[in-house]
Amino acid sequence: MEISDGSDTADRVDGPGRRRVSCASFNQDSTSLALGTWSGYKLFSLTTGEKLDCLHDSENTPDVIIVERLFSSSLVVVVSALTPQCMNIYHFKKGKEICNYNYPYKILAVKLNRQRLVVCLEESIYIHNIKDMKLLKTLLNTASNPSGLCALSTELSNSFLAYPGSVTVGEVIVYDANNLSMVTMIPAHESALAALAFNVSTTRLASASERGTVIRVFSIPEGQRLFEFRRGMKRYVNISSLSFSPDGHFLCASSNTETVHVFKLGQLAEGHVPSDDAATWTAYMGKMFSAASSYLPVQVSGMMSQDRAFATAHILSSGLKNVCTLTMIQELLRLLVVTTDGQLFLYNVDPQEGGECTLAFMHRLIGDDDNQRRGPLTDESQVQVQSSPSYAETAALPASGPFTATLTAPTTS
């Protein structure tokens, strides 16, 4: 769940005197937010809505274009536009660099969980063991992926990786990063992919294409299509992020429009069966269309079976790139949206009735009024990697020169 401005040298201001956010990402359980700017990166705690605590503010790495935190640990991965082929791993609480790795080409995305760290280049993917950063596998000659689109599951017992299998159509490759083997290929969309997301239990995968009109949810590992949600019919949009709620009952999607959509997965979601009392007019019409679908052409019945948004939120900063997530804060379901002008919007979501989400708080993440409340309102390649100590061992050592490894360009496929 991240957002990048898509350029190595982002505009350093967005309006008079306002610093621009170059990237933003929620950690794996959406309990913290990482923000990258031209001057460094910041980490914020998301345990409360009223007050936003800045956990760390670093200005040692300029022009940050990627920043990812491992859950609530002290491990942070940073990539700078000044050295876009280099990945730096920091222990931010101790204020030191653990190690850094260089790759043959520009790093487009980094994903991590408690077992694996994945680095995505345009035409290759590197899979590391996160405990000692040993390179386990390099996926070469992958489909051209200039945006670095990929998703890594966070459930402890597995590490499924999803990435595009084609440049022209929406094929999703699901790869087992633990056992280093392919799981399945899902023909998800007719046009190229734009967004991917796993649910917490890694039993669902959501996808959206460059057209941005239809969002689909598939079973994992089978790859069976379970749900279709229609974001809109009037125009194509650029979907920037997808995110499941912690319980897997809801899915949010943000785009370059002013509206963020929240979809309800219904009775196929884990352990969730909507009551008859909660049935809406949309659900009733959905049953009618479903009953009539056997008499209609496939194209028509497919469109009718697609559910509309259960809830929506309208952000005040329209037209800006953003990233969204659904999380529980103080026992309430909240929708969080971060925009590239450095604002965090926090909405309350009604899990029973849906409808328009209520803006509860708005925070300025950068600038003079930081943290001030503004609301309510396929084969392994031949790669030489220097042996490194484990993360736990390295973090326990006194501050010293960081470990460095260089990944040479692979010569085998």
Side-chain angles (χ1 to χ4, degrees):
M1 295 173 283
E2 66 179 329
I3 161 183
S4 174
D5 68 0
S7 64
D8 289 347
T9 54
D11 294 338
R12 295 190 174 185
V13 294
D14 183 22
R18 180 182 294 180
R19 289 183 295 172
R20 181 184 175 91
V21 173
S22 56
C23 61
S25 66
F26 296 100
N27 67 340
Q28 294 79 2
D29 55 7
S30 296
T31 57
S32 71
L33 168 67
L35 208 67
T37 69
W38 66 270
S39 62
Y41 69 91
K42 295 184 177 185
L43 302 175
F44 297 93
S45 172
L46 300 175
T47 55
T48 64
E50 297 85 352
K51 186 176 184 295
L52 205 61
D53 293 325
C54 185
L55 302 174
H56 184 68
D57 189 350
S58 171
E59 295 190 353
N60 297 326
T61 307
D63 291 316
V64 172
I65 55 175
I66 295 174
V67 55
E68 296 282 344
R69 184 187 184 191
L70 177 62
F71 287 91
S72 297
S73 74
S74 302
L75 184 65
V76 176
V77 178
V78 178
V79 178
S80 169
L82 300 180
T83 54
Q85 296 173 222
C86 180
M87 176 184 67
N88 304 91
I89 301 179
Y90 296 103
H91 189 299
F92 75 85
K93 289 184 179 179
K94 294 189 175 184
K96 70 172 186 176
E97 182 179 274
I98 297 173
C99 62
N100 62 71
Y101 280 79
N102 289 282
Y103 298 84
Y105 303 101
K106 175 185 175 182
I107 300 170
L108 300 176
V110 177
K111 304 293 181 183
L112 57 164
N113 60 28
R114 291 189 174 95
Q115 297 172 312
R116 297 291 182 259
L117 185 148
V118 174
V119 178
C120 182
L121 311 186
E122 184 169 353
E123 295 182 350
S124 58
I125 297 175
Y126 294 80
I127 301 174
H128 296 266
N129 180 23
I130 199 168
K131 293 182 180 180
D132 57 13
M133 282 306 296
K134 177 182 178 182
L135 182 67
L136 302 176
K137 186 79 171 181
T138 304
L139 305 177
L140 297 174
N141 302 318
T142 56
S144 180
N145 185 12
S147 65
L149 175 62
C150 61
L152 182 66
S153 66
T154 61
E155 204 270 332
L156 187 60
S157 64
N158 60 51
S159 295
F160 282 174
L161 172 67
Y163 60 92
S166 171
V167 181
T168 57
V169 297
E171 293 180 353
V172 183
I173 302 296
V174 180
Y175 187 86
D176 187 338
N178 276 357
N179 297 312
L180 305 178
S181 60
M182 181 173 169
V183 177
T184 188
M185 189 282 290
I186 303 174
H189 302 271
E190 294 181 358
S191 56
L193 296 171
L196 294 167
F198 286 104
N199 66 343
V200 173
S201 60
T202 322
T203 57
R204 305 282 187 263
L205 174 68
S207 67
S209 73
E210 290 181 345
R211 292 182 179 180
T213 55
V214 174
I215 297 166
R216 295 191 171 112
V217 177
F218 302 88
S219 65
I220 296 297
E222 301 85 2
Q224 178 185 0
R225 186 190 299 182
L226 301 178
F227 300 95
E228 288 188 350
F229 300 107
R230 180 163 289 277
R231 189 213 55 80
M233 298 178 63
K234 295 182 178 179
R235 55 176 173 165
Y236 294 165
V237 301
N238 299 318
I239 291 183
S240 56
S241 66
L242 296 171
S243 179
F244 286 92
S245 62
D247 60 9
H249 297 172
F250 301 93
L251 172 69
C252 63
S254 65
S255 66
N256 59 335
T257 70
E258 69 282 357
T259 304
V260 179
H261 295 78
V262 178
F263 304 97
K264 193 170 186 177
L265 273 66
Q267 60 184 359
L268 286 181
E270 294 80 359
H272 178 64
V273 180
S275 64
D276 292 338
D277 293 337
T280 62
W281 180 86
T282 302
Y284 171 76
M285 292 303 296
K287 292 179 181 179
M288 295 291 292
F289 287 141
S290 178
S293 62
S294 59
Y295 304 100
L296 299 171
V298 174
Q299 294 86 347
V300 177
S301 62
M303 180 177 295
M304 286 184 170
S305 68
Q306 295 160 346
D307 292 328
R308 298 303 183 95
F310 171 75
T312 56
H314 291 84
I315 57 178
L316 304 181
S317 301
S318 62
L320 295 173
K321 293 182 180 179
N322 58 70
V323 60
C324 66
T325 190
L326 287 165
T327 188
M328 298 297 294
I329 298 179
Q330 297 171 322
E331 300 183 352
L332 295 175
L333 180 62
R334 312 287 186 116
L335 170 66
L336 277 59
V337 184
V338 179
T339 59
T340 51
D341 65 346
Q343 295 189 90
L344 170 64
F345 299 94
L346 190 151
Y347 299 87
N348 293 331
V349 182
D350 187 332
Q352 301 300 325
E353 301 297 330
E356 182 67 23
C357 300
T358 304
L359 177 62
F361 302 99
M362 183 171 68
H363 298 278
R364 171 70 63 192
L365 302 174
I366 55 176
D368 295 334
D369 54 343
D370 279 3
N371 305 334
Q372 295 300 310
R373 184 171 66 176
R374 297 279 302 279
L377 313 167
T378 78
D379 290 334
E380 190 169 359
S381 63
Q382 301 299 316
V383 181
Q384 301 298 321
V385 183
Q386 181 179 338
S387 176
S388 65
S390 70
Y391 163 69
E393 292 171 343
T394 306
L397 294 175
S400 60
F403 163 75
T404 302
T406 299
L407 303 184
T408 59
T411 58
T412 61
S413 60

